[in-house]
Amino acid sequence: MQAAIIKDIQLLSNPILDYIFIGITMMGSSYFYFLVLPIFYWCVDKRFGLKIGIILLSSVYVNTVVKNVTMVQRPIGYPGIRSIFTQSAGGYSFPSGHAQGTTTFWGTLMVKYNRKCINVLGIASIVLVSLSRLYLGVHWPVDIIGGILIAVLIIIIGELVDSIIVESKFDIQLAYKVILAIIVPTALIILFPYTENFEYMGLVSGILIGYFVDEKYYAFTVSNSIKKQIYKIMIGALIFLALQNGLKYILPYTNVFNIVRYLICGLWLSIGAPLTFNKLKLNKRTL
């Protein structure tokens, strides 16, 4: 039945739709979120930027774990199914990382803002990205359903945890916060030591450490003119990509050093970039 659904969708296949759906599927990739999420942290709402970033990275962690536990094979190579843009289909099939990531991202936005335009855009994005994975022949329908359902569960848990943190005010010393930001991601890596988890949990540690340090000593603000916001995004994103890719040539490409590489990237996102923006007078400082 699942193969039949994919084949029916692929009856619409043509070169123009191929390029359209490849473009759509790229909007559900990790690179897209790495470029979009910092915009919230640097320019819109720092606290929410941290929240949506951690929820999304948690979703990636869960997706990696479930894929490696279930080990479902993709429809690539299945008779009668045409699979293209397979470079976007690494690892196992269930659940769909694109469907889960897109639902996590837009679902968190919809809960936060609850505006008609965002709800419509979010639902459209989830549907189109999910459909693109079937059209491209790189996922089964059950992968899409599973990814969406897991994302909804993660959003609910994320909102619950966030409300508990807000109510408790999480008022402990900086040193203890930093220790927690190291211990919790490390424990999650030890629990499920898959390659991707070394990278993303390193990023989580870096982001949290930087956020806690900024919260204590700097408290940078996000508001500014549109022109300066654009400068912030361009400078911050370019240096992030330079660090993410350039450190591969400096540090050995092993799991342990990947933690270090992504931890540095996380520190750049949450404290390095804001301090740079302060130096360049791109932030309106409160202290």
Side-chain angles (χ1 to χ4, degrees), residues 11-269:
L11 290 175
L12 301 172
S13 296
N14 63 69
I16 295 177
L17 279 181
D18 288 354
Y19 285 113
I20 290 174
F21 276 113
I22 287 173
I24 290 172
T25 211
M26 289 176 67
M27 293 183 65
S29 69
S30 59
Y31 279 102
F32 173 78
Y33 299 118
F34 282 159
L35 294 175
V36 171
L37 288 176
I39 295 175
F40 286 94
Y41 192 86
W42 296 333
C43 304
V44 181
D45 183 332
K46 180 173 60 176
R47 175 67 170 71
F48 179 68
L50 173 73
K51 173 182 173 179
I52 191 172
I54 297 302
I55 289 177
L56 188 61
L57 287 168
S58 299
S59 182
V60 172
Y61 174 88
V62 172
N63 184 266
T64 299
V65 171
V66 176
K67 278 186 175 180
N68 283 278
V69 169
T70 58
M71 293 191 294
V72 176
Q73 297 301 316
R74 293 179 181 271
I76 299 173
Y78 189 91
I81 292 179
R82 184 187 69 136
S83 296
I84 60 174
F85 198 54
T86 54
Q87 58 266 44
S88 68
Y92 296 108
S93 191
F94 179 87
S96 166
H98 283 69
Q100 185 175 327
T102 302
T103 304
T104 303
F105 175 75
W106 285 103
T108 305
L109 280 181
M110 287 188 280
V111 170
K112 166 69 174 178
Y113 294 106
N114 192 27
R115 295 177 183 172
K116 183 177 180 180
C117 58
I118 292 179
N119 292 341
V120 171
L121 184 58
I123 292 172
S125 297
I126 294 168
V127 171
L128 287 173
V129 170
S130 298
L131 181 61
S132 75
R133 306 309 284 166
L134 300 176
Y135 177 92
L136 297 175
V138 293
H139 272 296
W140 301 106
V142 70
D143 303 339
I144 304 300
I145 297 171
I148 292 173
L149 292 177
I150 291 173
V152 171
L153 179 60
I154 289 172
I155 293 170
I156 293 172
I157 294 174
E159 292 295 330
L160 177 62
V161 171
D162 185 58
S163 65
I164 292 173
I165 291 174
V166 170
E167 290 177 6
S168 66
K169 298 183 180 179
F170 198 49
D171 189 18
I172 61 176
Q173 294 182 7
L174 174 61
Y176 294 124
K177 290 182 179 180
V178 170
I179 290 172
L180 283 174
I182 295 172
I183 289 178
V184 174
T186 300
L188 292 173
I189 290 172
I190 293 172
L191 188 60
F192 293 103
Y194 304 121
T195 298
E196 297 91 337
N197 290 344
F198 282 84
E199 298 174 350
Y200 294 124
M201 289 302 102
L203 190 62
V204 167
S205 281
I207 290 172
L208 287 174
I209 292 171
Y211 177 82
F212 293 143
V213 171
D214 171 75
E215 187 181 42
K216 176 70 174 180
Y217 295 109
Y218 302 103
F220 84 92
T221 58
V222 298
S223 60
N224 216 324
S225 66
I226 295 177
K227 181 179 179 180
K228 289 188 176 182
Q229 299 285 46
I230 293 173
Y231 286 153
K232 286 161 65 174
I233 295 167
M234 291 175 61
I235 293 170
L238 286 173
I239 295 179
F240 173 81
L241 292 174
L243 287 171
Q244 186 191 30
N245 293 286
L247 288 174
K248 293 179 182 178
Y249 300 99
I250 300 174
L251 301 174
Y253 197 78
T254 64
N255 286 336
V256 173
F257 281 104
N258 281 344
I259 294 177
V260 176
R261 180 163 63 95
Y262 274 86
L263 185 142
I264 292 172
C265 290
L267 287 171
W268 166 254
L269 291 173

